[in-house]
Amino acid sequence: MTTAVTVDARVLRDLLATMWRIRAFEEQVGALKRADEVHGLIHLSIGGEGVAAAVCRQLRDDDAVYSGHRAHGHAVAKGAPLDRTMAELMGRDGGLCQGMGGSMHLVDVAHGFLGATGVVGGNIPLALGSALAAKQRGTDVVAVVFFGDGAVQAGLFTESVNLATLWRLPVLLVCENNGFAEFTPRSAHTTVERVGDVVAPYPLPRQTVDGNEVADVWSAFSALLARARAGEGPALLECLTHRLRGHYEGDPDRYREAVSTEDWQRKDPILRLQRAGHDAGWLPAGEPAELEKRARAEVEDAVTWARSSPFPSAVPEELR
Ligand SMILES: Cc1ncc(C[n+]2csc(CCOP(=O)(O)OP(=O)(O)O)c2C)c(N)n1
Ligand SMILES: [Mg+2]
């Protein structure tokens, strides 16, 4: 299904550019991890860029976004600068957290990216806190939290849904359901396939969309966001995604079937939007290559900047 024509072409262009920035950034992060220039455990979201772009590009700097362990795309889409984000992953002083946080502790307060976490589901209650603060201050600020399907089996998910609905908090729960928690398929850790069904008893709108179809994510989130801003309470958006890479960089990935090239070409949210743009006439033939080139050049500049930044002084000599 494609509904790309129902979303303004200017918006779709912006989403395509954002997805390219995330893709180029993460491909480079993977390469730098293999070269031992990026440190720590790295989880890439390649294949899931559509969700990050479609959600975060509708938000303001004063809206709070929380993420989990697969957070680079959410940070970049919310406005975190590529150079300081890359520097953080490379453990440099110029990084968003002076190089002391790394991939799973990315935070960019200036752009309302309130953070990654290595604790699965751990940021869901924190997002409720931001939403409660926004409500008590009488603002129309919202909080958004991204989490995976694995986090839904944690008790704090249900506790959070309960409180969010009870207090009608302006919080948007965005689940990226890629069908796996680490190396375990969803069918091996729950009997409820759709995360939307898990929240069925609670009075909140819930919608499941194809996360590879960026226009669908944009449209669905847009409606839920408008409700939350108007004080009508929380919502859940479940986006069905496919992670192209293993759970972490270096994962031998032996627990699942490799996706065929043809299947990936069909699923890839970037290629899908480009095909839709071409068919609908809003994307000139040379533009995808231009967007990709621009994104890769920006990432190269970010790496150059990060390499020129010193390691923080607290890092022991032997780790430098
Ligand atoms: C509280 C907690 N329990 C377990 C882990 C180990 N762990 C790391 S990632 C992960 C799976 C998460 O799956 P999901 O939420 O679906 O996210 P995905 O990796 O699929 O994006 C687990 C269990 C953890 N980091 N934190
Ligand atoms: Mg998952």
Side-chain angles (χ1 to χ4, degrees):
M1 178 183 82
T2 175
T3 56
V5 285
T6 63
V7 179
D8 189 271
R10 254 177 324 138
V11 169
L12 294 172
R13 267 201 160 82
D14 173 68
L15 297 179
L16 186 56
T18 304
M19 288 196 289
W20 268 122
R21 289 178 86 233
I22 300 171
R23 176 75 53 94
F25 183 85
E26 287 214 304
E27 285 182 351
Q28 184 65 278
V29 170
L32 292 173
K33 171 69 184 165
R34 289 186 288 281
D36 202 26
E37 279 197 77
V38 155
H39 310 290
L41 200 53
I42 296 294
H43 307 85
L44 299 183
S45 68
I46 293 173
E49 299 91 342
V51 179
V55 168
C56 293
R57 296 297 293 166
Q58 302 193 53
L59 299 173
R60 310 187 306 235
D61 280 351
D62 61 345
D63 292 322
V65 165
Y66 292 85
S67 179
H69 54 286
R70 209 175 290 288
H72 311 153
H74 305 140
V76 167
K78 189 65 175 29
L82 295 192
D83 49 7
R84 295 196 59 209
T85 309
M86 190 61 89
E88 186 57 35
L89 301 183
M90 291 169 71
R92 305 296 178 125
D93 196 48
L96 288 170
C97 308
Q98 278 83 56
M100 305 296 270
S103 173
M104 285 189 275
H105 300 99
L106 284 177
V107 175
D108 182 16
V109 175
H111 296 97
F113 182 72
L114 297 192
T117 178
V119 180
V120 168
N123 270 350
I124 302 175
L126 269 66
L128 259 66
S130 284
L132 179 60
K135 186 171 174 144
Q136 288 188 331
R137 288 178 182 142
T139 68
D140 68 349
V141 165
V142 302
V144 175
V145 57
F146 293 97
F147 51 93
D149 48 307
V152 172
Q153 279 64 255
L156 48 67
F157 173 76
T158 310
E159 291 174 39
S160 298
V161 171
N162 185 54
L163 272 188
T165 49
L166 186 67
W167 294 343
R168 280 170 68 91
L169 297 179
V171 62
L172 296 147
L173 308 162
V174 181
C175 180
E176 293 172 304
N177 183 350
N178 58 19
F180 278 88
E182 288 183 313
F183 325 109
T184 311
R186 187 155 176 79
S187 57
H189 61 90
T190 179
T191 50
V192 187
E193 189 185 350
R194 289 282 166 264
V195 171
D197 292 338
V198 176
V199 303
Y202 295 91
L204 82 169
R206 54 194 167 105
Q207 208 171 332
T208 299
V209 293
D210 180 345
N212 296 323
E213 197 63 66
V214 64
D216 287 356
V217 181
W218 197 95
S219 303
F221 185 75
S222 165
L224 301 175
L225 175 62
R227 285 184 76 257
R229 281 220 198 283
E232 290 168 34
L236 178 121
L237 180 63
E238 175 183 21
C239 304
L240 305 178
T241 61
H242 178 87
R243 75 167 148 73
L244 185 65
R245 307 282 307 165
H247 172 63
Y248 64 93
E249 286 308 279
D251 172 4
D253 211 356
R254 291 204 192 94
Y255 48 89
R256 60 175 188 165
E257 293 269 311
V259 64
S260 69
T261 307
E262 303 79 68
D263 199 21
W264 177 242
Q265 299 255 330
R266 208 167 41 76
K267 281 192 168 103
D268 183 340
I270 294 183
L271 296 184
R272 265 204 199 186
L273 185 56
Q274 290 181 171
R275 280 195 296 271
H278 178 264
D279 293 348
W282 56 262
L283 190 65
E287 200 163 316
E290 192 46 46
L291 287 174
E292 178 179 358
K293 202 170 122 199
R294 211 177 302 154
R296 294 201 189 280
E298 203 188 338
V299 170
E300 266 312 313
D301 288 349
V303 174
T304 304
W305 186 86
R307 281 186 181 135
S308 72
S309 174
F311 288 105
S313 56
V315 175
E317 196 65 45
E318 65 273 18
L319 292 182
R320 293 190 198 174

